[in-house]
Amino acid sequence: MSDIIQLLPDHVANQIAAGEVVQRPASVVKELLENAIDAEASEIKLLLKDAGKTLIQVIDNGKGMSETDARLAFERHATSKIKTAEDLFDLTTKGFRGEALASIVAISHVEIKTKLAESELGSHLKLEGSKIVSQQLISTPTGTSIAVKHLFYNIPARRNFLKSNTIETRHIIDEFQRVSLAHPTIRFSLYHNDGELFNLKSGNLKQRVIAIFGAKMNEKLVPISEETDIININGFIAKPNFAKKKRGEQFFFVNGRFIKHGYFHHAVLNAFEGLLAQGYHPSYFLYLEVPSNTLDINIHPTKTEVKFENEQALYAILRSTVKHSLGQYSVAPVLDFNKDASMEVPYHFKDKPSSTPKVSVDPTFNPFENEKKSTKPPRKPTTENWDSLYVNVENDALAIENIEVDAQVVTKELFTENQFNTTAKTFQIHKKYILSVIKSGVVIINQNLAHQRVLYEDFLTKITVEDAVSQQLLFPIKLSFSQTEIALIKDIQTDLESAGFRFEMIGDEHIVINGMPTLVKEGQITAILEELLDAVKHEIPESSFSQLDIISKSLARSLAIKNGTKLSTREQEEILEQLFSCKEPNHSPYGKNTFVTLPLDEIELKFNN
């Protein structure tokens, strides 16, 4: 048998590697931004066209590269960060594997301009599919500019799997925010299709958080600071009363690198125990510093999953630090929460002897001394001429049946339902399920999922067929959102207005609502809009109808009767009638079963076993 194993050509190997490194345009953005940071840049500019599909360009004022380094940077496993295997366990830089640029250039057209500070001229290279097309000396500012064009041009199947521009832009913004939050001293700017999305000036951690998420964050943040031998913790947590139903604003950074860590996330949630309503999540921006030799970041291509030594000890320190800050800033109750400060003895009176107050009484004081005494005798009741009250009154007028009195009609609603209503068609189980008897057995309905289906079809009909009814607000509501959320609201403003929302003004960081759907209560508007934006942000597709569908689903889920709500018999029967009047009663808007049936045959089998 002949040999069948052979080495892959370099361009094929690079394309395979690119499948791990470059999943979408956001992957390229992350790698190029991190390279600019490693080059010690103080100002980084990101330019995009068509959500990065046409152009991704990163311009920095860092150290730059020599002509030779510029060529070698695009070779496989070429890096300036490590020289021996031991260096992998003591990393202080972002990129280190030496595969990112080689993977990127294998599936795109790349143009690079770079110059060292001590050089008079810089290098200009053009590459297509790992091949250098041209190289020449040019006059260019100190630093590096890398432009990645026509991503996946030679792998059309991968390009076809990219999502809409809206979704790909959102992923790029997520990566941009993570990198800029990790390095607040660097100035970052982001432009998409010649429009400025972000312009973040150099500052401290708090200024960077506020610059990205809006001025509303200023009142929400509680600082955190703790230094130990194995970890230093800094950053901010949001007050519990500003918790959200979405999990977007949760960031962990370790040694200047964004990470995802479910174990540490649980530590933060544990610190908030008893302070958050069910279904709400805290926001946090936590920066961890650990010795680099106790951290392994070489376990995943995206480098967002890491391993720590002594994770249990770090968990305990993180939890206690967050809990301490919540108590220190009076966000959470402390041990002496029943103490009344007004009853405390001031320090300067503690050692002074107490004196008994003197009480004097005037025995001659009479408060009634100046009142005039009445000389008229009290009036006595008289019974004279009592029979004149009944003059001209006939005897039959006093008949009991002719006397009309106001009386309250006694109905069964005056009593508890269980006292008289012995023929109820439905029963509520654990304030979660509705049980009803049918000919073939029994049916058990999940009240929350069933109501979601009813509201979803109602919203969708009103939005797409009828004119949605909007209730006008006597006093308009002003709400604050981040720049990204404001941009999303502007994109779907027409669809939101079709659902019943009315906007008086949409600014850079605020919106003013003067009308909302009839089923929405004024106190719910903030939470509902946040949930709706989160749903649209993660699921928005191409067609406008699908956007309306997502809005209808989100509103239905937010406004549906929650499990744990006690329902009257009439309310239970209404849900059943409305559910089985729907076009698709079997499933909720998100595909879950709304009810299950238990035939009599299955019930009898339970007793025969």
Side-chain angles (χ1 to χ4, degrees):
M1 182 176 178
S2 60
D3 298 334
I4 59 175
I5 296 177
Q6 57 185 348
L7 292 175
L8 288 173
D10 285 343
H11 70 280
V12 177
N14 286 340
Q15 289 186 5
I16 294 174
E20 290 291 327
V21 178
V22 185
Q23 300 172 357
R24 56 187 352 134
S27 306
V28 177
V29 169
K30 176 179 181 292
E31 297 293 346
L32 296 185
L33 289 178
E34 290 184 344
N35 284 342
I37 292 169
D38 285 341
E40 301 177 3
S42 61
E43 184 173 348
I44 301 174
K45 185 181 296 183
L46 172 61
L47 308 176
L48 303 173
K49 283 188 179 179
D50 301 327
K53 299 174 184 176
T54 303
L55 172 68
I56 301 172
Q57 185 173 7
V58 173
I59 305 171
D60 69 69
N61 62 348
K63 295 186 294 186
M65 291 183 285
S66 66
E67 184 179 358
T68 303
D69 286 346
R71 291 178 64 94
L72 286 176
F74 294 97
E75 296 294 331
R76 290 189 66 195
H77 305 303
T79 177
S80 63
K81 314 296 173 60
I82 58 175
K83 295 181 179 179
T84 63
E86 288 74 17
D87 292 338
L88 287 172
F89 302 98
D90 192 16
L91 293 168
T92 58
T93 57
K94 300 287 185 286
F96 56 84
R97 294 194 181 105
E99 59 182 342
L101 290 179
S103 299
I104 292 170
V105 77
I107 53 175
S108 64
H109 296 173
V110 175
E111 184 176 349
I112 180 172
K113 298 177 183 178
T114 184
K115 184 180 85 72
L116 295 170
E118 60 272 18
S119 302
E120 293 184 1
L121 295 175
S123 299
H124 181 199
L125 281 79
K126 290 184 178 180
L127 302 95
E128 295 179 3
S130 300
K131 296 181 180 179
I132 298 178
V133 177
S134 66
Q135 180 177 0
Q136 58 185 351
L137 297 177
I138 61 167
S139 177
T140 184
T142 300
T144 302
S145 170
I146 296 183
V148 178
K149 304 175 183 178
H150 313 301
L151 194 64
F152 299 124
Y153 81 99
N154 52 356
I155 313 179
R158 288 291 301 274
R159 190 176 181 87
N160 292 337
F161 274 97
L162 294 179
K163 303 296 183 181
S164 65
N165 284 357
T166 305
I167 290 183
E168 295 300 341
T169 302
R170 177 180 57 80
H171 284 290
I172 291 174
I173 290 175
D174 286 345
E175 291 293 350
F176 178 83
Q177 289 179 347
R178 292 167 181 173
V179 174
S180 59
L181 282 170
H183 302 277
T185 58
I186 300 176
R187 179 169 185 168
F188 288 90
S189 56
L190 170 59
Y191 298 86
H192 184 218
N193 292 340
D194 298 326
E196 183 180 86
L197 298 183
F198 290 94
N199 191 351
L200 308 176
K201 298 180 180 178
S202 173
N204 55 34
L205 295 181
K206 188 172 186 179
Q207 290 171 336
R208 179 55 53 89
V209 171
I210 293 173
I212 292 177
F213 295 100
K216 60 174 183 174
M217 292 298 299
N218 191 30
E219 59 178 317
K220 300 181 182 181
L221 299 178
V222 175
I224 286 203
S225 181
E226 184 67 38
E227 294 186 5
T228 68
D229 292 338
I230 60 175
I231 187 173
N232 295 336
I233 304 174
N234 291 287
F236 300 92
I237 54 175
K239 298 174 183 177
N241 53 317
F242 292 106
K244 297 183 177 182
K245 285 193 172 182
K246 64 177 184 177
R247 295 181 54 177
E249 297 171 357
Q250 297 176 340
F251 295 89
F252 277 117
F253 301 93
V254 58
N255 294 359
R257 185 190 301 273
F258 171 79
I259 64 166
K260 297 177 181 178
H261 207 285
Y263 191 47
F264 288 172
H265 173 72
H266 185 269
V268 177
L269 291 183
N270 205 335
F272 276 89
E273 187 177 6
L275 299 175
L276 299 175
Q278 186 175 5
Y280 282 80
H281 303 275
S283 298
Y284 55 79
F285 308 87
L286 298 177
Y287 297 77
L288 316 178
E289 292 183 13
V290 299
S292 56
N293 57 3
T294 65
L295 179 69
D296 184 5
I297 58 177
N298 194 29
I299 61 174
H300 194 273
T302 62
K303 306 169 195 169
T304 56
E305 297 178 14
V306 299
K307 282 288 186 181
F308 294 86
E309 287 185 7
N310 302 321
E311 283 194 345
Q312 293 183 344
L314 299 181
Y315 177 99
I317 294 172
L318 180 59
R319 177 184 174 276
S320 61
T321 301
V322 174
K323 206 170 187 66
H324 174 70
S325 291
L326 289 172
Q328 184 179 10
Y329 290 91
S330 301
V331 177
V334 292
L335 288 177
D336 298 331
F337 54 87
N338 287 325
K339 182 173 65 176
D340 187 353
S342 63
M343 302 298 292
E344 291 291 307
V345 179
Y347 287 108
H348 57 281
F349 280 109
K350 281 191 173 181
D351 298 327
K352 290 186 178 181
S354 59
S355 58
T356 305
K358 295 181 181 180
V359 180
S360 58
V361 179
D362 184 3
T364 62
F365 176 71
N366 182 5
F368 306 102
E369 185 176 3
N370 295 329
E371 287 190 5
K372 296 180 180 180
K373 296 182 180 180
S374 176
T375 57
K376 295 181 180 181
R379 186 178 180 179
K380 297 181 179 179
T382 178
T383 58
E384 295 179 3
N385 301 324
W386 63 272
D387 53 344
S388 63
L389 296 172
Y390 297 94
V391 176
N392 298 326
V393 176
E394 297 180 3
N395 291 334
D396 59 350
L398 294 174
I400 297 299
E401 59 270 16
N402 294 330
I403 300 176
E404 293 183 1
V405 296
D406 292 333
Q408 185 176 9
V409 179
V410 178
T411 64
K412 65 179 182 179
E413 278 79 14
L414 293 175
F415 306 94
T416 60
E417 292 180 7
N418 296 333
Q419 189 172 352
F420 291 100
N421 191 6
T422 58
T423 60
K425 297 180 181 179
T426 60
F427 305 91
Q428 190 179 26
I429 305 173
H430 295 298
K431 299 180 182 180
K432 183 175 182 180
Y433 304 103
I434 301 172
L435 185 144
S436 182
V437 179
I438 56 177
K439 290 183 180 180
S440 60
V442 295
V443 59
I444 302 174
I445 298 100
N446 184 304
Q447 65 187 38
N448 174 259
L449 299 179
H451 200 215
Q452 281 188 34
R453 164 54 63 177
V454 172
L455 292 178
Y456 165 69
E457 292 198 5
D458 184 52
F459 275 123
L460 199 58
T461 301
K462 288 179 178 178
I463 292 175
T464 57
V465 180
E466 306 170 4
D467 291 330
V469 180
S470 176
Q471 55 180 337
Q472 294 298 116
L473 298 175
L474 184 60
F475 301 103
I477 301 174
K478 184 178 181 180
L479 303 174
S480 299
F481 291 97
S482 66
Q483 292 181 4
T484 307
E485 292 168 332
I486 291 290
L488 186 55
I489 290 174
K490 290 180 179 178
D491 287 342
I492 61 172
Q493 180 179 352
T494 303
D495 297 329
L496 291 175
E497 290 174 346
S498 299
F501 291 95
R502 297 292 180 266
F503 298 94
E504 184 177 295
M505 184 271 290
I506 300 180
D508 294 334
E509 293 185 357
H510 301 88
I511 65 171
V512 178
I513 296 177
N514 56 8
M516 57 190 183
T518 52
L519 292 177
V520 178
K521 296 179 181 178
E522 194 169 326
Q524 300 175 305
I525 187 67
T526 302
I528 286 176
L529 270 179
E530 287 177 350
E531 274 194 82
L532 193 151
L533 290 175
D534 190 54
V536 174
K537 188 188 301 182
H538 288 85
E539 300 180 45
I540 188 166
E542 295 283 358
S543 64
S544 177
F545 175 80
S546 296
Q547 295 180 25
L548 296 175
D549 182 67
I550 292 170
I551 292 173
S552 301
K553 285 181 180 178
S554 180
L555 289 174
R557 181 169 57 184
S558 300
L559 297 173
I561 295 171
K562 300 297 185 288
N563 290 328
T565 303
K566 186 176 181 181
L567 303 177
S568 66
T569 302
R570 181 177 299 175
E571 290 171 332
Q572 297 169 31
E573 293 176 352
E574 284 181 356
I575 288 181
L576 259 68
E577 292 174 2
Q578 293 172 349
L579 175 65
F580 291 106
S581 298
C582 292
K583 296 179 180 178
E584 297 288 341
N586 293 1
H587 299 95
S588 75
Y590 292 92
K592 296 182 179 179
N593 291 331
T594 56
F595 65 90
V596 294
T597 56
L598 290 178
L600 284 174
D601 297 341
E602 291 187 15
I603 296 175
E604 290 176 359
L605 286 175
K606 300 292 182 183
F607 294 96
N608 293 333
N609 290 337

